[in-house]
Amino acid sequence: MTDQPKATGRVLLIYTGGTIGMGRNRQTGALEPLDFNHLIASMPELAAIPVETVVHQFPQPIDSSDMKPQLWARIVQIIADHYEQYDGFVILHGTDTMAFTASALSFMLENLTKPVILTGSQLPINQLRTDGRENLITSIEIAAARHPDGRPRVPEVCIYFSGKLLRGNRATKINSEGFNAFDTFNLPHLADAGVNITYHDELILHPDYSRPMRPHFAMDTGVIVFTLFPGIEEDTVRHLLATPRLRGIVMRTYGSGNAPQQPWLMEALSEATAQGITIINITQCAAGPVAMARYSGGYLLQNAGVISGYDGTVECAVAKLMHLMGHTTDTALIRAQMSRALCGEITVG
Ligand code: ASP
């Protein structure tokens, strides 16, 4: 751990929408996305940051509940088109789906060698008690921060929120009200911002600087998330597994990856596996990994072809499946890649 260097450089600020730039609709009183000029007008401090910040905004800013893979591809395209001109990228994004977007971008921007920092806020930036100012200013500073040798301090897709820099594909929205909206339960913070920004360099990824960043665009959305609960019915599960074009399932199990030991469930899952559907086991617990051989329910799942999601999040498993399925129809390859860490998203072993 060391003190941060002085932030200088060029940052591209990509504005997608979210509460940070919202204002009240005069008729309904509900918050709705406004364009970036509104945000700039509320934040003259932007001009005072010692980093050259250029803005690129979505033509139509959105509430992040409208985020979708086509828009992830648009963000990837913007980053790829401007990759050489900037030291880092800050994405202003609604908090509701920020963890999905951060996860997706971590796979879509292969061998990322520059910081991509997602942030937003719980209160619009024009409100007196807004958390948006600090989130935005610190994100820009982190996106521009470099080591003394000129290499970026955090060459990863991250979420910065409320004093914490988090690996994006490990993060989850944990609070719909408090400013402390995100956390990573299975990985410490990459940095903590107080009076100084303290980077935990030993946790930060090391890309291969001799290779270029490789953007990916294809995502296959044939994925569902399903949660086990006591009393779950065979008809429900069979109906779900018969979903047209289904290729991937994120199954939210109990504890360390456990499930009811009902023969019908194991049969249904085995049949789905045999049809080429990839089923990933993610625990319903906020913290801790899946360890499928620990209890007999988990062991049976393993025999049914269900793959451990280790200590990954649901958001990340969904995005990773979409990404892999978008690039290959080889189920064995998808399963093998789901069991490897591609960019720090799971701890295998
Ligand atoms: N509904 C908003 C969004 O995700 C919430 C936020 O930005 O905090 O766009």
Side-chain angles (χ1 to χ4, degrees), residues 261-294:
Q261 298 175 50
Q262 309 263 13
W264 66 259
L265 179 62
M266 300 307 159
E267 267 165 40
L269 296 174
S270 297
E271 282 166 30
T273 303
Q275 284 161 28
I277 296 174
T278 303
I279 310 172
I280 307 300
N281 185 343
I282 300 278
T283 176
Q284 293 175 28
C285 297
V290 157
M292 283 165 80
R294 188 143 167 214

Side-chain angles (χ1 to χ4, degrees), residues 18-19 22 63-65 94-96 121-122:
T19 297
M22 287 187 185
D63 183 299
S64 80
S65 29
T95 58
D96 290 345
S121 66
Q122 294 281 55

Side-chain angles (χ1 to χ4, degrees), residues 13 117 130 191 234 262 335:
L13 184 58
I117 314 295
T130 187
E234 177 171 2
Q262 309 263 13
R335 290 180 183 160

